Amino acid sequence: MIRLTKFSLVFLLFLAGNVYAQDELLTIQQAVEQAISNNAGLNQMRARLVQKENEWRINTGVSAPEISYFKEGISDDPTAPFAEKRVAITQEVDFPLTSVYRVKALKQEVEAQQNVIVAKEKEISSQVKSKYIEVVYALYLQRSRENQLKLAQDLYNAVYTKFETGLGNGIDLANAEIQLDEARNDLDQSEWILHQARYGLFNVIGLPVEEQKYSIQFADTLYATDIDISQIQALAVQEEQPAYRASMNLLNASDYFLKEAKSNILPDVRFSLYKQDYGTGYDFNGFEVGLSIPIWYPFDQKGKIQMATARKEELLWNQKEIRLNMKKEIEYAWHNYSVSRSIVNRYHDSMQERSSKLQSMSLRAYQLGEIDLLELLNAQQIYLKSEQRYLTALRDYYMQLAALEQYLNQELIY
């Protein structure tokens, strides 16, 4: 009896001989690594992270100092050509509290971008594994269709033998010929499904065109750890998800930006230092301090405050949307995983042996004249249908594990 507990459930694939070299083998882990390295969207996010990490440098609220030269009271009198000369350096800064809030907000945005990247990497890993599973499914489907063709050929041979001996009729023979042609059609279609799955995987990996070769071989075994996890446990990790943490970071950043907007009513500071010359040399010093007065509050500061408040409200709704979508995706993956797991277990426990036995017994009974062609066809359809259902369930089982990987800090397929 085969169970799925701590198992290495395998897609026993048909690979046309071991004619390809090992260096052409593309494992599921290699596919994930290449995708994470080559994904254009992910690399753009990494570039944006570098930008965000350095954004605080241009938002400290400290402008470039200004150096000025001043000369006053210029005259033609050679004994007193000027009244005053002055060399000054002027610095303007935002109110310190404003700069502190702004920098803190930018640091939260950096953390948000880091979490977005982690979430994207998990999403890409899940997508790649799903595409790889599609390839494995297509290979196994091709093997199943070859078995279907073999059964159709055996059926045709049995009907033809009875027809030749005068025990059969032309209708049964025509039916068997149609079944044989349909099996050939299904086998041809499985080849197209395989090519579609292969190039879907190559595309999501970002594999260069010149490297997309027919000689690439795929692992003939996928291992999965069967997880005995409750629905509540799966949903309990929502707050730990990178996408949710990113939304929390952005919400914290919006708080700081709102505080920054409110602190804009506080005055910016401008100060200057002078070296002064009244005709005897730069023997005197001076300074000047200025404060900005927010007299245009209804147009400037108030607008910034309202924009920051609206931005915070937008992020609150976005966070709720993230929670709802996450719950939906986890629920869907969990229930589909549970159903697929039950189907696969049931097939291993009883259906596989029974349907195979039914098919072989029916063919023998037909050859002996104990049943007619309709009963034999029905037995073969039961056998093929149960095998196809098993393949579909096995594919869904693995794909839901891949989906659950996004939400669990555990690798389920390797």
Side-chain angles (χ1 to χ4, degrees):
M1 181 180 295
I2 301 176
R3 301 297 297 176
L4 295 175
T5 54
K6 282 288 181 182
F7 77 120
S8 60
L9 181 62
V10 297
F11 275 126
L12 299 174
L13 307 174
F14 173 74
L15 296 176
N18 192 13
V19 297
Y20 303 130
Q22 278 298 110
D23 59 359
E24 295 286 352
L25 177 66
L26 178 65
T27 66
I28 195 167
Q29 290 299 336
Q30 289 171 339
V32 170
E33 291 169 4
Q34 288 191 43
I36 290 177
S37 175
N38 298 335
N39 187 270
L42 185 58
N43 284 318
Q44 290 177 57
M45 289 180 180
R46 289 171 180 147
R48 283 196 291 269
L49 176 60
V50 175
Q51 297 173 50
K52 189 61 69 176
E53 286 174 338
N54 289 277
E55 191 173 345
W56 70 271
R57 300 179 188 276
I58 59 174
N59 285 281
T60 58
V62 179
S63 60
E66 176 186 322
I67 298 177
S68 60
Y69 174 77
F70 173 87
K71 190 172 185 178
E72 185 182 50
I74 300 173
S75 71
D76 295 331
D77 185 355
T79 61
F82 61 88
E84 179 190 355
K85 288 195 300 185
R86 183 190 305 170
V87 176
I89 180 167
T90 302
Q91 178 67 64
E92 187 172 355
V93 297
D94 292 346
F95 193 83
L97 194 59
T98 302
S99 299
V100 169
Y101 286 143
R102 185 186 303 127
V103 171
K104 284 185 175 181
L106 292 173
K107 287 184 177 178
Q108 286 294 315
E109 287 188 336
V110 169
E111 292 183 20
Q113 186 66 16
Q114 290 171 340
N115 281 316
V116 167
I117 290 174
V118 173
K120 185 65 174 178
E121 288 176 345
K122 285 192 168 188
E123 179 187 342
I124 291 171
S125 176
S126 177
Q127 288 176 347
V128 171
K129 288 185 176 182
S130 294
K131 290 296 184 181
Y132 199 99
I133 290 164
E134 290 282 4
V135 173
V136 174
Y137 165 77
L139 287 167
Y140 198 13
L141 178 65
Q142 195 173 50
R143 180 189 180 191
S144 175
R145 294 287 168 81
E146 288 175 346
N147 184 43
Q148 178 183 343
L149 179 60
K150 181 180 180 299
L151 291 177
Q153 186 65 59
D154 291 343
L155 171 67
Y156 175 79
N157 292 341
V159 173
Y160 185 78
T161 299
K162 294 186 71 173
F163 179 77
E164 285 290 298
T165 58
L167 298 176
N169 57 67
I171 295 177
D172 286 352
L173 183 61
N175 199 335
E177 290 173 343
I178 292 172
Q179 294 293 323
L180 185 58
D181 288 338
E182 285 293 339
R184 292 185 179 120
N185 291 338
D186 288 342
L187 181 58
D188 290 341
Q189 185 185 41
S190 70
E191 184 176 356
W192 157 241
I193 293 173
L194 173 59
H195 289 310
Q196 191 176 34
R198 278 167 48 87
Y199 287 106
L201 175 63
F202 294 157
N203 183 65
V204 78
I205 290 175
L207 196 66
V209 175
E210 61 274 10
E211 296 181 21
Q212 297 182 15
K213 304 174 182 177
Y214 286 105
S215 58
I216 292 178
Q217 187 177 353
F218 302 93
D220 60 352
T221 303
L222 285 183
Y223 296 95
T225 302
D226 184 41
I227 51 173
D228 185 14
I229 123 185
S230 72
Q231 187 177 27
I232 296 177
Q233 286 175 320
L235 295 173
V237 297
Q238 282 192 32
E239 287 72 17
E240 300 176 15
Q241 301 310 313
Y244 185 81
R245 291 202 303 266
S247 72
M248 284 298 301
N249 293 136
L250 290 176
L251 195 57
N252 292 338
S254 72
D255 277 331
Y256 285 124
F257 279 130
L258 180 57
K259 292 177 180 178
E260 178 205 356
K262 291 179 178 179
S263 70
N264 278 326
I265 63 174
L266 299 172
D268 295 337
V269 183
R270 183 178 183 272
F271 55 89
S272 301
L273 296 176
Y274 306 108
K275 292 292 288 185
Q276 296 170 296
D277 177 8
Y278 291 100
T280 59
Y282 290 97
D283 301 324
F284 299 90
N285 297 317
F287 70 90
E288 177 185 341
V289 176
L291 300 176
S292 65
I293 306 299
I295 62 174
W296 305 118
Y297 171 80
F299 304 105
D300 188 7
Q301 286 81 7
K302 185 176 181 179
K304 291 179 179 177
I305 292 171
Q306 290 181 339
M307 289 174 64
T309 302
R311 172 62 176 164
K312 181 177 179 180
E313 185 177 0
E314 176 193 350
L315 291 171
L316 281 170
W317 284 108
N318 180 63
Q319 188 180 70
K320 290 179 181 178
E321 183 181 21
I322 289 173
R323 286 179 66 93
L324 288 172
N325 287 336
M326 196 178 300
K327 182 178 186 299
K328 179 192 72 174
E329 293 298 327
I330 293 175
E331 287 275 8
Y332 176 80
W334 166 257
H335 289 298
N336 204 351
Y337 160 77
S338 181
V339 170
S340 301
R341 182 171 177 261
S342 298
I343 294 173
V344 171
N345 272 334
R346 194 175 298 113
Y347 183 83
H348 276 295
D349 288 346
S350 59
M351 290 181 63
Q352 182 180 26
E353 181 179 355
R354 290 175 183 173
S355 60
S356 179
K357 187 175 180 180
L358 173 64
Q359 188 276 325
S360 59
M361 289 175 61
S362 299
L363 180 60
R364 181 60 179 164
Y366 175 77
Q367 291 171 334
L368 295 175
E370 296 175 356
I371 62 173
D372 59 20
L373 180 63
L374 184 60
E375 291 176 294
L376 174 59
L377 288 174
N378 184 55
Q380 287 194 349
Q381 288 300 317
I382 292 174
Y383 171 74
L384 293 171
K385 184 177 179 180
S386 66
E387 185 178 69
Q388 293 295 320
R389 183 71 181 273
Y390 165 71
L391 285 179
T392 302
L394 197 58
R395 179 196 62 186
D396 291 345
Y397 172 84
Y398 273 100
M399 293 188 74
Q400 299 319 312
L401 282 179
L404 283 171
E405 270 194 5
Q406 293 185 73
Y407 308 107
L408 303 175
N409 294 320
Q410 180 181 359
E411 190 175 27
L412 304 178
I413 301 175
Y414 48 93

